[in-house]
Amino acid sequence: MLAAVFQVRGLDTREPTLNVLLWQRALDPEQGKWSLPGGQLEDDEDLTSSVRRQLADKVDLRELAHLEQLAVFSDPRRVPGVRTIASTFLGLVPSPATPALPPDTRWHPVNDLPAMAFDHAPMVEHARNRLVAKMSYTNIGFALAPKEFAISTLRDIYSAALGHQVDATNLQRVLERRKVITRTGTTARSGRSGGRPAALFGFTESRYRVTDEFAALRPPG
Amino acid sequence: MLAAVFQVRGLDTREPTLNVLLWQRALDPEQGKWSLPGGQLEDDEDLTSSVRRQLADKVDLRELAHLEQLAVFSDPRRVPGVRTIASTFLGLVPSPATPALPPDTRWHPVNDLPAMAFDHAPMVEHARNRLVAKMSYTNIGFALAPKEFAISTLRDIYSAALGHQVDATNLQRVLERRKVITRTGTTARSGRSGGRPAALFGFTESRYRVTDEFAALRPPG
DNA sequence: GCAAAAGTGTTGATTTTACACCCATGC
DNA sequence: GCATGGGTGTAAAATCAACACTTTTGC
């Protein structure tokens, strides 16, 4: 089991970026290269519990707001030595959280990955593609965003996750029409350089849900 | 490994139906109940090759036009006895094919399943949901349809797969705009009760492709 | 007042459903 | 001719991107 855990980092900078949690191998094979965190399945747990346990134990990460299965990588020669099958997962950590990490573990921007061990690079790519697709037709963004946020913050999160610019105006309208986000009634204070205070929003639900099921071919009526 | 293999059957009747290929257990546990076909992974094959091999060997099925991974079912108590993990697949067989099947193997309508063994019922459900979702935004229908077909036939296939009525007029327009189907130039003969002969179409590509990537939040430009 | 940031209004394009109407064939 | 099924036209609704304009704040 291996998990690609994503977080949008640098929301307070000019360039918020989608990052993935990686771990540097101390030993051969592939010493020095970067791996996805993971480990072996025990006899008395299912895959999801196992991934949560591994992430808590090995990289001290407990703030996962979303975790889902991706694909199984099963090429007989994907790693040297004994035949190993990897079941991969997508995990998401909300943005304000800054979990403490062990020294060999680090966040890396997904658009600038270091040398990756084995077949872990395509795994990250697969996870990113899944995330991008689901940002469009589900409420999965709840797992990357704070509890309360201004639309401009949400725009930064969506931009980083999707990898392209998103218009704040239209983002707000799309998500409000779909009832994905709700106005909380409170407003943020404006920054030191002025500007109108932003209304704050929250995700309506904090459980994964498909919001826009049919791109076409809807049922009649 | 287990595969939910679907085919639309009964296209020449009033009620074309989506069916799944099941196999009746001869021995305990769960004797007499119906199972998804599958088997064990060998050391020198990956999961996809293994599923194709099992289906060819055990139920003599070679006409799979599409095969993709679904989810891994890993509850430690999902089957009695030694702990077993099931990696599930979605397979699709095009409609005119009528593969010969062993005597303990049969097609069953997905809306009227018999008593299912173990956790195989939710597996079929998961596969069906995946199929329905992908019918909307990909060209996956190619794997259920004949090489050449009239729009009304395609409507029957889509209706059966999706589980609701589909308007032939609009189906044609949506799929033509997306360049999923192409007119072949030939026409069918009209039936014994008359009626205008139908123009025939074929799928433009016979490889899986996403045709409508963004429900919203498209990149700018 | 002025700059900065947030929020609203509006327009046009695209996509999609629903349904009325026309076309080609067998008997 | 007329029933039957195929095909086209069209209008109304929904969705969405783009961008100009207005509002509210700090200094």
Side-chain angles (χ1 to χ4, degrees), chain A residues 217, chain B residues 135-136 138-139 149 151 154 158 170-182 203-204 211:
Chain A
L217 309 178
Chain B
M135 295 287 285
S136 291
T138 74
N139 70 343
F149 48 82
I151 293 294
L154 192 63
Y158 272 71
N170 296 330
L171 180 65
Q172 173 180 349
R173 278 201 270 246
V174 168
L175 296 184
E176 278 193 312
R177 181 161 28 71
R178 295 184 182 169
K179 299 207 193 337
V180 170
I181 60 175
T182 315
F203 275 83
T204 310
T211 58

Side-chain angles (χ1 to χ4, degrees), chain A residues 152 173 195-196 198-199 215 217-218 221:
Chain A
S152 57
R173 278 201 271 245
R196 177 172 170 173
L217 309 178
R218 295 186 189 77

Side-chain angles (χ1 to χ4, degrees), chain B residues 3-4 6 14 21 41 49 64 95 108 157 169 182 192 198 212:
Chain B
F6 290 138
R14 270 180 302 285
L21 190 62
L41 179 67
S49 325
L64 277 184
S95 251
H108 287 270
I157 293 171
T169 300
T182 315
R192 34 204 150 290
D212 200 39

Side-chain angles (χ1 to χ4, degrees), chain B:
Chain B
M1 269 136 4
L2 296 169
V5 178
F6 290 138
Q7 185 184 33
V8 176
R9 298 177 67 82
L11 275 181
D12 44 0
T13 69
R14 270 180 302 285
E15 275 289 319
T17 310
L18 186 69
N19 285 57
V20 62
L21 190 62
L22 298 178
W23 163 85
Q24 190 168 30
R25 294 180 63 82
L27 302 174
D28 266 327
E30 313 256 322
Q31 192 211 330
K33 295 200 180 170
W34 293 82
S35 291
L36 294 175
Q40 293 300 123
L41 179 67
E42 301 291 334
D43 276 349
D44 60 345
E45 60 187 0
D46 64 21
L47 285 172
T48 304
S49 325
S50 182
V51 172
R52 287 191 182 274
R53 176 176 62 75
Q54 315 274 2
L55 291 174
D57 290 359
K58 299 203 179 172
V59 294
D60 206 34
L61 182 76
R62 289 154 214 283
E63 292 91 344
L64 277 184
H66 179 76
L67 184 65
E68 71 176 59
Q69 284 189 29
L70 286 173
V72 177
F73 285 70
S74 60
D75 185 317
R77 287 180 301 281
R78 56 171 291 274
V79 296
V82 62
R83 197 266 168 86
T84 311
I85 291 172
S87 178
T88 57
F89 283 75
L90 165 65
L92 300 176
V93 175
S95 251
T98 40
L101 297 178
D104 58 353
T105 303
R106 211 171 297 169
W107 293 100
H108 287 270
V110 293
N111 294 324
D112 185 21
L113 291 178
M116 301 284 290
F118 311 121
D119 51 357
H120 293 198
M123 289 173 179
V124 174
E125 168 127 3
H126 193 271
R128 214 274 168 94
N129 290 342
R130 176 76 67 90
L131 175 62
V132 168
K134 291 207 167 175
M135 295 287 285
S136 291
Y137 66 89
T138 74
N139 70 343
I140 201 171
F142 82 87
L144 291 172
K147 278 238 168 42
E148 255 194 353
F149 48 82
I151 293 294
S152 57
T153 306
L154 192 63
R155 186 232 307 134
D156 291 343
I157 293 171
Y158 272 71
S159 296
L162 292 173
H164 63 76
Q165 289 307 111
V166 174
D167 182 293
T169 300
N170 296 330
L171 180 65
Q172 173 180 349
R173 278 201 270 246
V174 168
L175 296 184
E176 278 193 312
R177 181 161 28 71
R178 295 184 182 169
K179 299 207 193 337
V180 170
I181 60 175
T182 315
R183 204 176 285 255
T184 65
T186 51
T187 54
R189 284 195 300 284
S190 35
R192 34 204 150 290
S193 57
R196 175 172 171 174
L200 294 180
F201 289 77
F203 275 83
T204 310
E205 285 174 278
S206 52
R207 257 199 59 226
Y208 176 76
R209 186 167 66 87
V210 173
T211 58
D212 200 39
E213 188 164 11
F214 302 97
L217 310 177
R218 297 187 188 77

Side-chain angles (χ1 to χ4, degrees), chain A residues 173-190:
Chain A
R173 278 201 271 245
V174 168
L175 296 184
E176 277 192 313
R177 179 160 30 71
R178 294 182 182 169
K179 301 208 192 340
V180 171
I181 59 175
T182 315
R183 202 176 288 255
T184 64
T186 51
T187 55
R189 285 196 298 284
S190 37

